[in-house]
Amino acid sequence: MTENVIEMREITKKFGDFVANDHINLTVKKGEIHALLGENGAGKSTLMNMLAGLLEPTSGEIAIKGEVVKIDSPSKSNSLGIGMVHQHFMLVEAFTVAENIILGNETVKNGVLDLKKATKEIKELSEKYGLAVDPSAKVEDITVGAQQRVEILKTLYRGADLLIFDEPTAVLTPSEIQELMVIMRNLVKEGKSIILITHKLDEIRAVANRVTVIRRGKSIQTVNVAGATAEDLAEMMVGRSVSFKTAKKAAEPKDVVLSIKDLVVNENRGIPAVKNLSLDVRAGEIIGIAGIDGNGQSELIQAITGLRKAKSGSIKIKGQEITKMTARQITELSVGHVPEDRHRDGLVLPMTLAENIALQTYYKEPLSKKGILDYKKINDYAKKLMAEFDVRGANELVPAKGFSGGNQQKAIIAREVDRNPDLLIVSQPTRGLDVGAIEYIRKRLIAERDKGKAVLVVSFELDEILDVSDRIAVIHDGHIKGIVKPEETNKQELGILMAGGAIDKEVSHV
């Protein structure tokens, strides 16, 4: 009989009157990858935070290897062999990789930190599990994929036998996702067990053994992944059938709304990231930008939205040069922006969700009058958008940090789309969203296009780019490598262009 390493029995968690988890049952076997699937705000992270010692159940019990335990702190969780890799990494950027891994669990010799011994242990762990990191590198200087490997090593260094991955691929490139899947398989081969929280059905079907589906705080059922299709899982998760392909009519592009000519934008070190790039986006079309992370997409969008100064070249919105304008002035030209990093650029996390939804319009009537904020109108406006965009949480007065990542994303999209902008710029629109929310957001983007808006979408998800775009601009090393139509290309061809190669067909460059 296979040993259950974790049993969560009838777990209920309440926050005031709000029931986040309602009598949930979950069992995880030794040496399995067990997926936890559910919509944004279904209660997955809340459930796992109880295993990690960050929260305690209102009722129910947790058993580890058959023994009921009380997990009342992260240190207790660690001592029981549980480690959690959070969706938003918990690393000190100014510290080295080794310093981050040993933080709180330092190796000391005669009262002095023995970094040499710790570094040797970290290297042995990284080689054993295929987690390539440089222990001496500063965290602020390494890639997102490498930072995630540091988080995994942190849990292993503390002796974790059960690892919880919370949306581990939300910020990874396709190649980093493949690397992570190899790492997960290596971990279970070595006898570890993994709980994988994700919305991505293809990832569940690629690596998981079993999946437990949670809907609106209740566990629906646990099934073997081998016998379930993506459609089956999606229907269990949202309670209805979900379309993976967005229906849309042919675009009817009109006047140029965004015109970029010979643009050069430097990255943080003063090196050009965008190199003489030219691109037009017209009213009534969606241009998708496909590219491997780090090829100038972020700097391009920051320059268009006033968050980064262009070195040279021209950006015009509705014929008006904007390279010398502030972000507020550009916003006032009827530009909406959903940023790629919702925490850094999209939200003020300690503020209420209502205040965050009002961030772009708080200084205008009806949300304020003569400089005085009208909080009743701000809160009512937030309630309206939460209902329309299905933003789930206790209420609009909860701080933004109290919402799940997917619901934070829906709130930002609600704020920007509801302003009815002529140009909508969206980076990673469905990062961290479940299939139901993805379906809804893609329909909204196409609806904006059909209303005659110009839409620019940047996404690492090639399925998404192919689904929503009318034209796809492939970016490589700061240049537009070519512009192709989604119906005339595929992921393989896009991948070749993204890597700087050429394909055996005509591609446009305008």
Side-chain angles (χ1 to χ4, degrees):
M1 182 175 155
T2 309
E3 180 189 355
N4 287 333
V5 288
I6 292 286
E7 291 176 61
M8 302 187 83
R9 305 167 184 156
E10 299 291 324
I11 297 291
T12 295
K13 180 62 182 175
K14 294 181 181 177
F15 298 96
D17 293 333
F18 179 67
V19 183
N21 292 150
D22 188 358
H23 296 90
I24 288 181
N25 291 291
L26 172 72
T27 59
V28 180
K29 297 173 183 174
K30 183 176 173 60
E32 81 165 336
I33 299 176
H34 192 115
L36 200 55
L37 179 65
E39 292 179 275
N40 301 120
K44 307 179 299 296
S45 295
T46 301
L47 187 69
M48 290 301 99
N49 281 336
M50 285 184 269
L51 272 186
L54 296 168
L55 295 171
E56 288 188 62
T58 306
S59 63
E61 62 182 20
I62 299 169
I64 294 181
K65 296 176 185 172
E67 185 180 335
V68 175
V69 294
K70 181 179 171 66
I71 306 176
D72 52 9
S73 69
S75 58
K76 181 67 184 287
S77 178
N78 287 338
S79 72
L80 292 166
I82 300 168
M84 187 163 179
V85 179
H86 295 270
Q87 182 177 354
H88 300 286
F89 305 147
M90 297 188 175
L91 300 172
V92 182
E93 292 198 343
F95 282 14
T96 66
V97 166
E99 288 166 344
N100 268 282
I101 289 170
I102 67 172
L103 189 61
N105 204 46
E106 294 85 351
T107 305
V108 177
K109 186 177 181 182
N110 299 325
V112 179
L113 182 66
D114 192 347
L115 199 55
K116 190 175 176 183
K117 185 183 178 197
T119 300
K120 181 172 176 282
E121 290 171 359
I122 290 163
K123 281 181 175 170
E124 287 169 359
L125 274 175
S126 71
E127 285 166 16
K128 181 177 181 181
Y129 294 105
L131 292 155
V133 295
D134 175 2
S136 62
K138 281 198 172 180
V139 162
E140 63 191 358
D141 296 329
I142 63 177
T143 66
V144 170
Q147 287 180 23
Q148 187 172 65
R149 292 194 289 275
V150 175
E151 285 280 21
I152 297 168
L153 279 167
K154 241 168 71 177
T155 66
L156 296 172
Y157 188 77
R158 286 157 174 71
D161 291 316
L162 173 78
L163 285 83
I164 304 163
F165 288 85
D166 189 359
E167 298 290 347
T169 64
V171 292
L172 301 186
T173 62
S175 61
E176 287 172 334
I177 290 169
Q178 293 307 314
E179 285 171 22
L180 177 65
M181 289 187 172
V182 171
I183 289 164
M184 290 169 78
R185 291 187 189 106
N186 288 342
L187 287 164
V188 293
K189 269 186 210 162
E190 294 286 340
K192 306 294 184 188
S193 304
I194 293 173
I195 298 176
L196 170 63
I197 307 174
T198 184
H199 301 116
K200 296 185 179 178
L201 304 176
D202 53 344
E203 289 171 12
I204 287 175
R205 296 175 70 231
V207 295
N209 305 105
R210 293 189 301 151
V211 55
T212 293
V213 180
I214 296 179
R215 192 193 311 153
R216 294 188 180 262
K218 298 174 190 275
S219 43
I220 301 301
Q221 67 187 111
T222 298
V223 297
N224 291 323
V225 171
T229 66
E231 288 76 13
D232 293 335
L233 294 174
E235 191 161 344
M236 274 191 271
M237 178 166 74
V238 299
R240 60 176 175 81
S241 61
V242 175
S243 171
F244 292 93
K245 182 90 179 130
T246 312
K248 63 178 182 183
K249 63 183 185 183
E252 297 174 11
K254 296 184 175 61
D255 296 340
V256 173
V257 174
L258 172 66
S259 180
I260 303 167
K261 295 278 183 288
D262 301 321
L263 184 67
V264 177
V265 186
N266 288 347
E267 42 99 287
N268 292 342
R269 295 170 297 174
I271 300 163
V274 177
K275 304 169 183 175
N276 297 304
L277 183 146
S278 298
L279 181 68
D280 285 346
V281 185
R282 297 176 179 274
E285 75 169 347
I286 297 176
I287 295 281
I289 293 185
I292 298 165
D293 190 18
N295 275 268
Q297 302 97 311
S298 298
E299 290 81 3
L300 171 64
I301 299 305
Q302 288 164 2
I304 298 169
T305 54
L307 297 175
R308 184 182 292 266
K309 290 298 175 194
K311 187 166 185 285
S312 61
S314 165
I315 308 171
K316 289 182 179 176
I317 294 174
K318 296 185 286 189
Q320 196 166 342
E321 182 63 49
I322 59 124
T323 47
K324 300 283 192 283
M325 288 187 180
T326 64
R328 167 70 66 83
Q329 288 170 326
I330 293 168
T331 298
E332 293 284 9
L333 285 176
S334 194
V335 176
H337 177 210
V338 178
E340 64 176 301
D341 188 328
R342 54 181 169 252
H343 283 186
R344 187 188 64 207
D345 301 322
L347 298 165
V348 183
L349 292 170
M351 285 168 50
T352 68
L353 195 78
E355 288 168 329
N356 274 281
I357 283 175
L359 277 177
Q360 295 281 38
T361 46
Y362 69 89
Y363 56 94
K364 297 178 178 177
E365 291 191 9
L367 302 187
S368 66
K369 195 166 186 177
K370 295 180 180 175
I372 307 296
L373 295 173
D374 186 334
Y375 267 94
K376 184 178 186 312
K377 288 197 167 116
I378 287 171
N379 296 341
D380 287 346
Y381 176 55
K383 274 193 267 200
K384 171 181 161 283
L385 290 195
M386 285 176 74
E388 184 183 343
F389 286 80
D390 193 28
V391 181
R392 296 184 192 172
N395 58 56
E396 75 283 358
L397 302 179
V398 172
K401 65 184 177 184
F403 286 77
S404 70
N407 280 298
Q408 290 171 353
Q409 183 76 352
K410 285 195 276 187
I412 295 167
I413 289 172
R415 178 182 71 206
E416 299 303 317
V417 168
D418 192 67
R419 290 174 47 238
N420 199 27
D422 294 331
L423 171 64
L424 180 61
I425 299 167
V426 189
S427 289
Q428 315 307 331
T430 59
R431 177 179 280 172
L433 295 189
D434 60 68
V435 286
I438 288 170
E439 179 188 49
Y440 176 76
I441 294 304
R442 291 181 185 174
K443 281 180 179 173
R444 284 302 297 234
L445 294 177
I446 291 164
E448 291 304 298
R449 178 204 76 166
D450 291 344
K451 280 158 55 179
K453 309 301 184 182
V455 183
L456 182 64
V457 173
V458 179
S459 178
F460 299 138
E461 303 282 350
L462 291 185
D463 286 327
E464 180 157 83
I465 288 288
L466 287 161
D467 188 37
V468 301
S469 306
D470 300 305
R471 293 189 293 148
I472 300 170
V474 181
I475 193 168
H476 170 73
D477 192 27
H479 302 277
I480 296 295
K481 186 73 180 169
I483 296 177
V484 293
K485 292 185 175 175
E487 64 271 17
E488 295 173 1
T489 191
N490 55 44
K491 285 200 273 191
Q492 287 71 31
E493 287 184 354
L494 289 176
I496 291 166
L497 288 170
M498 284 161 60
I503 57 176
D504 189 21
K505 67 160 67 169
E506 191 78 24
V507 294
S508 166
H509 290 276
V510 290

